[in-house]
Amino acid sequence: MFAKPVGATCNLACQYCYYLEKKNLYPEGTSLRMSDDLLEEYIIQHINASSVPDIFFSWHGGEPTLAGLQFFERMVKLQQKHLPENFRIINGLQTNGTLLNHEWCLFLKKENFIVGISMDGPESFHSANRFRKDGQSCFEEVLRGYQLLKTYEIPCEILCVVNSSNATHPLEIYRYFKHLKAEFITFIPLVERINSNGSLVSERSASAKVFGEFLCAIFDEWKTSDIGSVKIQVFEEAIRTAFGLEHTLCIFKETCGGVPVLESNGDFYSCDHFVNEEHLLGNIRKTPLSQLLESPAQKAFGQAKLALLPDYCLKCEVREMCNGACPKDRFIDTPDVQSGLNYLCEGYKLFFNHCKPFVEKVAEVWRLSNPEVQ
């Protein structure tokens, strides 16, 4: 679950951010900071809804650090107050990194946070779309934040939005992250749907083919030089199929709905990319979180991903790696003019077919090494 302690509030004005506009869901002047009583209620309900000993909280925004360090210190105390015996809490924080300092990092280290930090490559690429509200670059602040996380040895992952600015420079982007000693990287394709002037997506969006080529180029270098030292999420997901493992990333699962959103006032939405009136299923002040998670509406939302998959996808040779990807991007037609094909299909198909021989070899070696599982 993505919890939004300050809703869509952010100190940056990144051009491609899809969440800043969500503040318009609430009347002007409404406080978008989660109240202390709601914070405690959410923590209690989240713990009660968990069925495994490792309970994961994920704090998102906007920019969640705008809630302030005291908010997070109070949050951790409340988690410990309500934590059942033999359970463990893991906290994840997704940040733009600009507000991180020594005080923040001492806290994050002490409380064993996992941190995701947004960075689109070297300064020229990062600053193409990500900047402060006054239009000035935020790159130095982001880099300082990242370096602090590394100094304090806080587990951190770089989240890179692949867009028309950086998509044609895959190895420059990847080698820069390796220069920063990144151990975990996620590449997120930008798909901004506009449906105007004859275009389906914005000029900032990379084409599907270019995105696929971006992944292929990085995969080849990673396969040769970096297996075991750098984990790249999309590669990890592809290789999971070699071991017959279910995907962990929602966009590649057969069904979705497993990563809903809790807004700062307690509103529950089906998904981070579907925070709108249609997908507002309730509020945890009135309906328990466990009920909302198991509600018919949430289950239907998740099942629709599989139910609406075009025949073209059902017959695809890399279906098990992709499963139609994210429903938010399924807005083009298949070659036989069936609706619901993912805009990124060409790119994913290019990449998954490119890495498939390697994945199959991994599977073969694993089977030979583990004859008892055959």
Side-chain angles (χ1 to χ4, degrees), residues 5 12 16 21 32 54 58 90 119 131 141 158 188 190 223 237 239 250 257 275 286:
L12 300 185
Y16 54 54
E21 66 181 27
L32 296 180
D54 287 339
S58 189
I90 304 167
M119 188 183 298
F131 33 74
E141 292 99 317
I158 290 177
I188 305 169
L190 176 64
K223 182 180 66 172
E237 290 294 324
I239 292 170
C250 61
V275 175
K286 297 180 180 179

Side-chain angles (χ1 to χ4, degrees), residues 6 9-12 33 62-69 72 96 99 104:
V6 292
T9 308
C10 191
N11 60 324
L12 300 185
R33 187 181 184 280
E63 175 48 46
T65 59
L66 287 172
L69 184 54
F72 281 89
N96 59 42
L99 301 178
W104 264 107

Side-chain angles (χ1 to χ4, degrees), residues 10-197:
C10 191
N11 60 324
L12 300 185
C14 303
Q15 284 189 305
Y16 54 54
C17 182
Y18 63 89
Y19 212 82
L20 291 178
E21 66 181 27
K22 304 305 179 184
K23 60 188 174 188
N24 297 328
L25 292 167
Y26 303 100
E28 190 174 350
T30 300
S31 173
L32 296 180
R33 187 181 184 280
M34 187 177 287
S35 65
D36 291 348
D37 67 309
L38 179 62
L39 174 64
E40 183 164 19
E41 183 61 35
Y42 165 55
I43 288 170
I44 292 170
Q45 291 194 30
H46 187 117
I47 290 173
N48 289 341
S50 300
S51 58
V52 293
D54 287 339
I55 304 173
F56 192 80
F57 284 81
S58 189
W59 305 95
H60 279 242
E63 175 48 46
T65 59
L66 287 172
L69 184 54
Q70 287 186 340
F71 174 93
F72 281 89
E73 290 172 335
R74 185 163 51 254
M75 176 267 290
V76 167
K77 288 179 181 177
L78 289 170
Q79 288 176 334
Q80 293 306 314
K81 174 183 174 182
H82 297 288
L83 182 65
E85 191 176 352
N86 299 321
F87 279 68
R88 179 177 71 134
I89 283 176
I90 304 167
N91 282 295
L93 176 73
Q94 175 57 38
T95 178
N96 59 42
T98 60
L99 301 178
L100 296 179
N101 55 27
H102 290 285
E103 192 177 11
W104 264 107
C105 288
L106 281 169
F107 165 78
L108 296 171
K109 177 65 175 178
K110 176 176 176 285
E111 301 300 341
N112 299 309
F113 269 66
I114 299 167
V115 178
I117 187 166
S118 298
M119 188 183 298
D120 289 353
E123 182 169 13
S124 59
F125 297 111
H126 183 86
S127 298
N129 293 291
R130 302 183 64 85
F131 33 74
R132 300 198 300 255
K133 291 186 184 294
D134 62 3
Q136 297 301 305
S137 171
C138 62
F139 181 76
E140 291 301 322
E141 292 99 317
V142 176
L143 187 59
R144 185 193 66 238
Y146 173 79
Q147 290 170 338
L148 278 170
L149 292 170
K150 297 295 284 186
T151 297
Y152 280 85
E153 298 182 334
I154 296 164
C156 61
E157 176 180 26
I158 290 177
L159 278 75
C160 173
V161 175
V162 183
N163 56 80
S164 58
S165 172
N166 61 10
T168 52
H169 302 270
L171 296 184
E172 185 176 352
I173 301 299
Y174 181 48
R175 289 169 184 171
Y176 178 72
F177 291 153
K178 288 200 290 182
H179 166 73
L180 294 180
K181 296 181 168 53
E183 298 176 80
F184 302 94
I185 306 170
T186 289
F187 293 113
I188 305 169
L190 176 64
V191 180
E192 284 185 315
R193 189 176 178 184
I194 56 173
N195 286 331
S196 63
N197 301 321

Side-chain angles (χ1 to χ4, degrees), residues 278-298:
E278 179 186 354
H279 294 94
L280 171 59
L281 304 191
N283 187 291
I284 66 166
R285 289 191 186 275
K286 297 180 180 179
T287 308
L289 181 59
S290 56
Q291 254 182 258
L292 291 166
L293 289 166
E294 297 297 325
S295 66
Q298 185 66 4

Side-chain angles (χ1 to χ4, degrees), residues 173-245:
I173 301 299
Y174 181 48
R175 289 169 184 171
Y176 178 72
F177 291 153
K178 288 200 290 182
H179 166 73
L180 294 180
K181 296 181 168 53
E183 298 176 80
F184 302 94
I185 306 170
T186 289
F187 293 113
I188 305 169
L190 176 64
V191 180
E192 284 185 315
R193 189 176 178 184
I194 56 173
N195 286 331
S196 63
N197 301 321
S199 299
L200 288 174
V201 298
S202 70
E203 292 183 358
R204 286 189 291 267
S205 305
S207 73
K209 182 182 179 185
V210 167
F211 176 61
E213 292 169 341
F214 176 93
L215 293 179
C216 290
I218 294 174
F219 178 80
D220 288 345
E221 177 151 321
W222 172 84
K223 182 180 66 172
T224 302
S225 309
D226 304 313
I227 292 177
S229 60
V230 181
K231 289 187 180 294
I232 298 176
Q233 190 178 52
V234 65
F235 301 170
E236 297 289 321
E237 290 294 324
I239 292 170
R240 288 181 70 83
T241 61
F243 308 106
L245 297 173

